[in-house]
Amino acid sequence: MTRAALRRQFLRSFASLATAVPLFRPGSSLPGSSAPLLGAPPADGPGPGAQTTHGRLRRTLGVSVVEGMFSEVFTACAGATALTAWAIALKLGPFLVGVMTALPFFAQFVQFPAAWLTGLFGHRRVALTAVCLSRVVMFPLAVLPWLGLPFESQQRLLLMVAGVSAALSVVGNNAWVAWMGELVPRAVRGRFFGRRTALTTLAGTLASLGAGLLMDRLRPATGVGVALPLLALGACVMGIVTTLLMATQHDPAPPGTTPPLELKGALVPFKDDNARRVLTYQVAWNAAVGVSAPFFALHSLQNLKMTFVIMALHAAAVAGVRILAAPLWGRAIDRCGAQPVLMACSLGIGVIPALWLLPSAGTLWPLLFDILLAGALWSGHGLAIFELPLAVAPRKNRPFYLAAFATAGGLAYAAAAALGGAIAAALPANFTLGGHAWVNLHVLFVLSSAARLGAAMLVVRIPEPGARPVRSVGALLERLLPRPIAAQSNILGKR
């Protein structure tokens, strides 16, 4: 294979990651909650953006890359790690931590209204307004120590700011997705999103390390301190910067040029048997993940005594493995289909929460296994879970299918996260079982691991048009393993 062909394959793998679940956020044990091209127009034909003059398009795409890098700085200032630090500083219990970190997923409920707003007012206008507001809404946290509010009022303000920001982010992302889908021609989509994903990942990693250093140096043992308000102020500044950058980008499909959305189209996915099977998996899987995922950052800070820098390095290592594994999973999907890859990765990811029973405050080396497994398996899962719903969803009403999948998964995650917080709050913080010391969050990790393995088996019921889906673990090994190994397994099985 020539060097140019290898480069195109590598960039295509980045583009696939960009259209699937995004890269890990600092302090989070699962990918983020929105997909950059999930609602883009079908790739069956070019959009209106293909008619844009080359020079203007090139300038717009260049600005989009820079805007994406500044957006990652915002995430470092106001993402999962920063919000968890706010929760610890304001003494939120496990239940409220679960609710707060689940808000971005619960906010997926506004996907359908967001699609309607985007169609009514246009991609660019809605994206500019909603994205800006979702980021500058962090300003009350920047001045929180000087507002003189009672402690409980400060807790409520934190939850309110996180909820409003999450809902506005869904609206803004929905509009931005449609905007980019119309803007970026199919011929350059792979190269563009490959470069954009690579550069934004680098910017996000550096920003996360900087935020971690700031919190480690300036955050006091108790109370809010100075670091967290500074990060909130930085998030507001990044919101203004990214809005100004987005404002320089044009919209090839202004209001009135897109077909109107009909309410009856939103009900079509729930009447489709194949779509219902995908929805069932999405609900079960996101619930299994959500019962533990919001608490990995809390466990890392409170029980494992990890610094924010170590957490940022861990997240960066996972992201690096994820990017390296993407081309391999991409080739596996091309050869075997998305359904076998989704099943294999779901089964493997089921083991990951159990790995978090091994590390302790003085023994963090077991997290090396988490880096390798989480990075590699979430990479394949993200690619497969993007490909499979697109294969199931027909071109007509496809945005409603994808919105239904995102909404169902987001609500299931949010409900499970709240339930996980309630379970952790009801258990003693520390207890002894079998002669070993455990914490309440370990219970959630065990529950999540078992639930993930159960949800993985639902993949066997999902059809994949144009492919030959697997129906058992044995068939899965035959499809994914090299032929000599699979043949040897069959021989041993007959003995």
Side-chain angles (χ1 to χ4, degrees):
M1 186 180 292
T2 65
R3 183 178 299 179
L6 285 172
R7 185 168 60 252
R8 285 194 299 269
Q9 174 67 24
F10 189 62
L11 289 176
R12 275 198 298 269
S13 71
F14 269 128
S16 297
L17 276 176
T19 55
V21 185
L23 296 174
F24 284 58
R25 298 308 185 195
S28 179
S29 186
L30 83 165
S33 59
S34 60
L37 279 187
L38 197 59
D44 305 75
Q51 305 300 322
T52 307
T53 59
H54 178 73
R56 190 181 187 190
L57 175 62
R58 189 170 184 175
R59 287 193 298 271
T60 294
L61 297 186
V63 173
S64 178
V65 172
V66 177
E67 179 269 325
M69 297 173 71
F70 280 106
S71 294
E72 289 299 319
V73 179
F74 166 82
T75 300
C77 295
T81 301
L83 288 178
T84 302
W86 275 103
I88 294 175
L90 296 180
K91 295 181 172 56
L92 267 66
F95 175 72
L96 291 180
V97 171
V99 170
M100 183 185 68
T101 53
L103 287 173
F105 294 86
F106 185 76
Q108 298 299 317
F109 184 74
V110 304
Q111 282 277 0
F112 289 106
W116 177 79
L117 285 173
T118 299
L120 183 64
F121 296 106
H123 315 130
R124 185 175 182 273
R125 187 183 303 171
V126 174
L128 286 172
T129 303
V131 170
C132 181
L133 292 177
S134 70
R135 294 171 180 176
V136 299
V137 75
M138 305 297 296
F139 183 74
L141 297 182
V143 296
L144 182 62
W146 301 277
L147 293 180
L149 295 175
F151 198 71
E152 292 184 356
S153 298
Q154 295 182 35
Q155 293 177 327
R156 287 195 291 268
L157 180 61
L158 172 63
L159 292 173
M160 183 180 69
V161 167
V164 173
S165 178
L168 289 171
S169 294
V170 171
V171 177
N173 185 71
N174 185 285
W176 183 84
V177 160
W179 185 4
M180 291 296 103
E182 297 285 355
L183 179 65
V184 185
R186 181 184 180 185
V188 300
R189 190 171 290 175
R191 283 175 289 168
F192 169 69
F193 281 105
R195 184 174 67 256
R196 189 180 194 273
T197 302
L199 292 175
T200 55
T201 302
L202 176 61
T205 301
L206 295 177
S208 299
L209 289 173
L213 285 171
L214 182 66
M215 286 188 283
D216 285 340
R217 293 290 182 88
L218 299 182
R219 194 175 69 91
T222 58
V224 173
V226 178
L228 294 178
L230 282 177
L231 288 177
L233 182 61
C236 296
V237 173
M238 289 302 102
I240 296 173
V241 171
T242 53
T243 302
L244 292 175
L245 289 171
M246 290 172 63
T248 65
Q249 304 172 49
H250 72 281
D251 186 1
T257 61
T258 55
L261 299 177
E262 297 180 359
L263 181 60
K264 62 181 181 181
L267 303 177
V268 173
F270 302 98
K271 300 177 181 178
D272 187 329
D273 182 60
N274 291 338
R276 285 201 302 269
R277 295 184 183 189
V278 177
L279 283 169
T280 301
Y281 168 77
Q282 291 273 46
V283 169
W285 177 256
N286 280 277
V289 172
V291 76
S292 66
F295 306 100
F296 286 104
L298 183 65
H299 181 63
S300 300
L301 291 169
Q302 286 191 340
N303 301 320
L304 301 184
K305 308 302 180 184
M306 292 171 62
T307 65
F308 288 99
V309 172
I310 293 177
M311 292 176 64
L313 289 173
H314 173 267
V318 172
V321 174
R322 181 185 172 111
I323 293 172
L324 293 175
L328 302 178
W329 287 118
R331 286 195 291 270
I333 291 175
D334 291 338
R335 186 180 74 250
C336 306
Q339 193 257 10
V341 171
L342 181 63
M343 183 176 176
C345 292
S346 298
L347 289 170
I349 292 171
V351 180
I352 292 177
L355 292 176
W356 283 75
L357 302 179
L358 303 178
S360 61
T363 310
L364 297 179
W365 65 262
L367 292 181
L368 293 174
F369 297 105
D370 174 77
I371 291 173
L372 295 175
L373 287 179
L377 294 175
W378 275 115
S379 176
H381 188 278
L383 294 172
I385 199 59
F386 172 72
E387 296 285 347
L388 196 56
L390 281 183
V392 171
R395 182 173 183 179
K396 184 180 180 180
N397 294 318
R398 183 175 291 174
F400 284 115
Y401 274 76
L402 300 180
F405 296 149
T407 302
L411 294 180
Y413 180 97
L419 176 62
I423 293 174
L427 294 172
N430 299 276
F431 61 94
T432 302
L433 182 64
H436 297 278
W438 306 94
V439 298
N440 53 356
L441 298 183
H442 284 151
V443 176
L444 301 185
F445 299 160
V446 173
L447 289 175
S448 180
S449 188
R452 293 184 194 197
L453 292 173
M457 299 311 299
L458 294 175
V459 181
V460 302
R461 301 179 61 250
I462 301 178
E464 184 178 2
R468 189 161 51 90
V470 299
R471 301 299 183 191
S472 65
V473 176
L476 176 67
L477 294 176
E478 291 182 4
R479 293 287 297 279
L480 292 181
L481 294 180
R483 292 186 182 277
I485 298 178
Q488 183 180 2
S489 177
N490 289 336
I491 293 174
L492 293 175
K494 295 178 180 178
R495 292 181 180 179

